[in-house]
Amino acid sequence: MDNTLKDKIVVGAAAVLVREGLQHWSVDRVAAEVGCAKGLIAYHHGTKKSLLAAVAANLGRHRLAGRLAALQGSGAEALDRLWQTLVNEVRAGEWAAWAALTAEPGIDTPSDSAVDVAAFSTAVGRVLEVSPFRPEEVRLMTAALDGFQVALHSGVPENGIREAYHRLWLSLLP
């Protein structure tokens, strides 16, 4: 994102969402976070729902970028970095913000584009030293990663979840 006011509003809205949750999120709080008038938020984003959709798109891009960055390199080190990325998203509140937006009626959350799926497939294939995966396999992998984050967020002991995480990758090896 560049540094236009429209982009700053999205970043500020995400910060409020991560810090305070969707129940306590408001345009007033976003305006205070960004240091602008509420009217400017309406001017740039129209409705509260369209602003939250922009936040969802931004969080989705950020999550994918973090996962792809973690998968740079090869083997167990890359998978360990990906695990830490998942854990960090949960600890920082980013996962809870994303989950709240995906569950909220009337907020369009972007589905993974074909380009995103292909990038993740290529990265995982490179790490595991296998051919890239089919789109439906990648969607199942990302659903499993989200499931691990649900468990982490719910307070399930991390060791058990991490074992399941490693079993996922072992199951994908030829």
Side-chain angles (χ1 to χ4, degrees), residues 120-136:
F120 192 74
S121 175
T122 300
V124 170
R126 187 183 62 253
V127 167
L128 297 178
E129 298 178 0
V130 299
S131 298
F133 295 89
R134 296 187 318 266
E136 59 272 14

Side-chain angles (χ1 to χ4, degrees), residues 14-40:
V16 172
L17 180 64
V18 167
R19 187 176 58 245
E20 300 182 28
L22 192 55
Q23 282 100 2
H24 302 290
W25 186 95
S26 69
V27 173
D28 287 327
R29 289 186 173 157
V30 173
E33 178 81 16
V34 176
C36 73
K38 274 178 44 175
L40 286 172

Side-chain angles (χ1 to χ4, degrees), residues 144-157:
L145 297 179
D146 287 340
F148 297 140
Q149 289 182 298
V150 168
L152 287 167
H153 181 74
S154 299
V156 175

Side-chain angles (χ1 to χ4, degrees), residues 15-131:
V16 172
L17 180 64
V18 167
R19 187 176 58 245
E20 300 182 28
L22 192 55
Q23 282 100 2
H24 302 290
W25 186 95
S26 69
V27 173
D28 287 327
R29 289 186 173 157
V30 173
E33 178 81 16
V34 176
C36 73
K38 274 178 44 175
L40 286 172
I41 294 172
Y43 173 78
H44 285 291
H45 292 281
T47 67
K48 174 182 173 179
K49 299 265 185 196
S50 66
L51 173 55
L52 287 170
V55 170
N58 192 40
L59 285 172
R61 283 189 301 273
H62 178 73
R63 291 178 76 217
L64 176 64
R67 291 173 182 196
L68 292 175
L71 291 170
Q72 294 302 308
S74 62
E77 290 178 7
L79 294 175
D80 286 344
R81 281 192 304 275
L82 179 58
W83 171 256
Q84 197 56 53
T85 298
L86 300 176
V87 170
N88 290 345
E89 283 179 6
V90 171
R91 288 180 182 159
E94 293 169 3
W95 179 85
W98 170 255
L101 291 174
T102 61
E104 184 68 17
I107 297 176
D108 293 326
T109 53
S111 59
D112 294 331
S113 72
V115 172
D116 296 345
V117 170
F120 192 74
S121 175
T122 300
V124 170
R126 187 183 62 253
V127 167
L128 297 178
E129 298 178 0
V130 299
S131 298

